[in-house]
Amino acid sequence: MMKKQLIYVVCYVIAIITLSSCAARRQTMLYLQDMEDTKEYPVIQKYEAVIQRDDKLEISVSSKNPELALAFNIPGTGGYTVGADGTISATQSNHSTTRENKPGYTVDIHGNIEFPVLGTLHVEGLTKNQLVNLITNKLKEEELLKDPIVLVEFLNFKISILGEVNRVGQFNVSGDRLTLLDAIAMAGDLTRNARLDRIAVIREYGNKRRIMWNDIRTKDIFTSPSYYLQQNDIVYVETNGRRAEQDVQRRFSFWHTMVYSISSVISLIVLITKL
């Protein structure tokens, strides 16, 4: 009876030690540490994405008279199509068409697009609303349309996320409003080796490139010029430098646990055989 009880004890000890060796300690990461509960913080920054070279834009023009707006649209994008008999009908949306595959205007290396009837338009550096106003005013000034309704959307809004995140890669974004915290969530959150105070956003401005560092431990992140991301931004999360040290510690802990487990089992077996 005593031997049977000791065998149960041996199995229990082995199970506990094995589970302990497999359990990974997680580093507690606290974001926005200086924000107070229930306190209201004003949103002091409103942001719009700026058009860059190589962007792909969807621009549609509509009017009370659909036939007048057809000339200012890529076929199938203006909300109306012309049938073989000359009749005008509303365009049926194709839900299987992805944003990247939709027809659109690609901004060339000079920052221009070729727009129907209006010709070359310089759009680099403009926001969507500014481009809407530009096209609307030109259509009115040249008396091409009296009541134009212009819509602009990005078709290729994407960012890249590198470094100490759980899912590295390039991500396509619906819409054009994306924050740094949104990007971290898309990448599956930070790893335990990430530096919360060294998160970089690398951004291109025309022919120049700039890097901006962010600290997400503090509410000051909300006022950072890179809190709202631009298309083609690169987010890089720096390592805390402890990965190699942690790997050594994990290996040491594993072998220490194994040796201790084997020694414990041998000791218990010897004790059982002597009873």
Side-chain angles (χ1 to χ4, degrees), residues 124-195:
E124 183 183 13
L126 300 181
T127 65
K128 286 197 312 182
N129 285 336
Q130 288 172 335
L131 179 54
V132 167
N133 293 334
L134 173 66
I135 295 175
T136 300
N137 293 335
K138 280 185 173 292
L139 292 173
K140 289 181 177 180
E141 290 170 1
E142 299 183 20
E143 299 183 351
L144 297 171
L145 282 177
K146 291 183 179 180
D147 56 350
I149 300 175
V150 181
L151 298 176
V152 176
E153 294 293 340
F154 289 97
L155 294 177
N156 65 336
F157 197 102
K158 60 183 181 294
I159 61 168
S160 299
I161 306 178
L162 307 172
E164 292 294 343
V165 293
N166 287 305
R167 190 166 64 252
V168 172
Q170 188 176 82
F171 299 86
N172 294 312
V173 181
S174 298
D176 55 7
R177 185 185 183 278
L178 183 74
T179 69
L180 183 56
L181 295 179
D182 292 332
I184 291 172
M186 290 170 58
D189 206 354
L190 306 180
T191 70
R192 58 183 177 180
N193 296 305
R195 282 192 61 174

Side-chain angles (χ1 to χ4, degrees), residues 16 29 54 122 196 199 242 266:
I16 293 297
M29 296 187 296
D54 297 323
H122 186 74
L196 304 187
I199 299 178
R242 292 197 296 267
I266 292 173

Side-chain angles (χ1 to χ4, degrees), residues 69-96:
L70 286 173
F72 307 100
N73 291 283
I74 296 175
T77 63
Y80 303 95
T81 56
V82 181
D85 58 354
T87 58
I88 299 174
S89 59
T91 301
Q92 298 298 319
S93 60
N94 184 358
H95 296 289
S96 63

Side-chain angles (χ1 to χ4, degrees), residues 51-57 105-107 154 156 231-232:
I51 298 170
Q52 302 175 7
R53 288 173 293 180
D54 297 323
D55 280 346
K56 187 178 180 182
L57 306 173
Y105 301 87
T106 300
V107 183
F154 289 97
N156 65 336
Q231 66 274 34
N232 304 317

